[in-house]
Amino acid sequence: MFETIGIIIKDYYKWILEGVGYTMLVALIGTLVGLGIGILIGVFRTMPTPKNKFLKVLKKIADVILSAYVEVFRCTPMMVQAMVIFWGFALLNDGQTLNVTVSALIIVSINTGAYMAEIVRGGIISIDQGQFEAAHAIGMSHSKTMFYVVIPQALRNILPSVSNEFVINIKDTSVLNVIGFAELFFQAKTIVKINYETFATYLLVAAIYFVLTYSITLLLRFIERKMDGKKNYKVLGSQNMDAESYAIEMGGNKND
Amino acid sequence: MIDYPNCEIIRVEHLSKSFGDHQVLKDVDFVVNKGDVTCIIGSSGSGKSTLLRCINLFETPSGGQIFYHGQDVAHKKDPDLYRRNVGMVFQSFNLFNNYNVLSNCTLGLRKVLKMKKAEANERALHYLKIVGMDAYQKAKPKQLSGGQKQRVAIARALSMHPEVILFDEPTSALDPEMVGEVLSVMQDLAKSGLTMIVVTHEMNFAKNVANRVVFMDDGVILEEGTPKQIFENPKEPRTREFLGL
Ligand SMILES: Nc1ncnc2c1ncn2[C@@H]1O[C@H](COP(=O)(O)OP(=O)(O)O)[C@@H](O)[C@H]1O
Ligand SMILES: [Mg+2]
């Protein structure tokens, strides 16, 4: 068994590495672009309703379109989405198909975007209302509040879910073999067609998927811990002011 | 600009606020002059927080007006400019969890007032010193005790140089041993001439620090006067009952 696997590695390591490269490329970029889409949609959908009647209607329409996008992509398999988008593009362009790698990036990105939109929205609405109010109380606008206070905290909170999406994407890019994208599973299929070692080849591929996803999981957990920063802090030398000198200072302030 | 008598900062006229068909504030009139330390007392649910939140435009009044230096701000489209001048200290502190103590105080200076970093740091540190929290400038909010958090929240409000600061039960969420440190900072601020509106259940603070006490009951200002008048000789039976006289 191990001998067979050794031979497969020796003979086909280039194909396998290529497959790993494509899988990771699409999973990583798809997750990041998907997160970007999710942030945009999440921020838009948590915006306060505009007072202006016209804007209010516009926002309603956009909300409907965005939730249609989210639900359609969440409620259909990515494999089917890949076929519809890939062949739909070909149909609209007189049989000219889109580059397979580009197609793969687009499909994984918009599929992930649909999940991320909900994850980000959940992250934003889970931030305590007090954070918004404290920011508004010092004169920050809604957009500044979102950018400097809410989104950073929401992103930190949803990081485990984002990591999870990344891991899912590493595995789920395998469905893109249906459009002929040369990711890891597709490479395995090709190898099997030549060497007929079906079990050994797929066992090897399973092991590679496991190593990829598990090491990424550990890496992301490490990053999460790093992001929380140091557990302790340094207390610097303090020089307290007494009330009296403060009163003088405030008195001076009043006149400016 | 017209000169207002007694340097009036905020005037609330016929303010009413309803949530659905529940009327929480009924025809409230209320004036804040420069240097006033006004304590608002009253039982829970009487509308004290709602009054502060209307003044800060967190709630849109259902009726009436709020004047800031004679200008009606109650239905301002863009309250941000006005809010720079009206600080707020919350019962639950609401420090920005993603920033350390110093950055909590400089965020508004940098992003709202567009101050340079060095200048913002200097100003923020100055107020952190006043509340006795400069030594903790690098700490994150979750590493602080409640009393420390509230002192930072006060420094954050002071850093913006507001004309008035609203305090909504600033010590109600604190363990008893931390109430004193926050009240003593507030007392210093009052002495220094800062204009403050303080919703509080700390009757001693109201008695000793305020120059005006407002008693709210069921959405109306039932009685107001000097601490002496309210605490020693309240006219309304409901006030007497509340104070246990
Ligand atoms: N956002 C809200 N929606 C509905 N009712 C509210 C809201 N905020 C406050 N209330 C009601 O208004 C009344 C006064 O509340 P509040 O101003 O918080 O009182 P206080 O601060 O004096 O305890 C209470 O009955 C409360 O339930
Ligand atoms: Mg209250």
Side-chain angles (χ1 to χ4, degrees), chain A residues 131 133 144 148 231 236 246, chain B residues 53 95 99 111 130 135:
Chain A
Q131 297 284 308
E133 290 188 350
K144 277 184 185 152
Y148 294 110
K231 279 261 183 298
L236 310 168
Y246 176 57
Chain B
R53 293 171 59 81
L95 293 183
Y99 292 106
K111 304 305 172 194
I130 284 166

Side-chain angles (χ1 to χ4, degrees), chain A residues 153-228:
Chain A
Q153 293 183 49
L155 284 183
R156 170 61 194 91
N157 293 348
I158 65 172
L159 201 59
S161 309
V162 173
S163 306
N164 195 37
E165 282 299 311
F166 183 34
V167 167
I168 289 174
N169 277 342
I170 293 174
K171 295 182 292 175
D172 281 4
T173 46
S174 59
V175 305
L176 296 175
N177 76 84
V178 295
I179 58 166
F181 178 53
E183 41 68 46
L184 187 54
F185 180 81
F186 181 88
Q187 301 294 60
K189 249 174 42 174
T190 313
I191 294 168
V192 168
K193 272 184 201 146
I194 300 167
N195 71 359
Y196 297 106
E197 292 288 356
T198 314
F199 177 70
T201 308
Y202 284 115
L203 186 65
L204 171 65
V205 165
I208 295 173
Y209 273 118
F210 180 81
V211 170
L212 288 179
T213 50
Y214 192 62
S215 52
I216 288 293
T217 305
L218 292 182
L219 178 71
L220 291 173
R221 270 189 212 149
F222 175 76
I223 292 173
E224 268 169 48
R225 270 203 306 275
K226 268 266 138 76
M227 269 179 69
D228 285 341

Side-chain angles (χ1 to χ4, degrees), chain A residues 1 11 141:
Chain A
M1 189 76 247
D11 289 352
S141 60

Side-chain angles (χ1 to χ4, degrees), chain A residues 4 21 27 65 74 80 82 96 158 167 199 201 213 221 229 239 249:
Chain A
T4 323
I65 294 172
R74 267 157 47 113
V80 177
Q96 181 73 43
I158 65 172
V167 167
F199 177 70
T201 308
T213 50
R221 270 189 212 149
Q239 321 147 277
E249 187 268 341

Side-chain angles (χ1 to χ4, degrees), chain B residues 5-25:
Chain B
N6 303 326
C7 229
E8 170 186 308
I9 297 177
I10 289 172
R11 168 184 290 273
V12 171
E13 279 183 4
H14 305 300
L15 180 70
S16 65
K17 174 69 188 173
S18 305
F19 294 106
D21 45 11
H22 179 192
Q23 193 169 6
V24 175
L25 294 178

Side-chain angles (χ1 to χ4, degrees), chain B residues 19 22 24 43-50 59:
Chain B
F19 294 106
H22 179 192
V24 175
S43 48
S44 134
S46 56
K48 306 179 298 297
S49 297
T50 306
E59 305 288 355

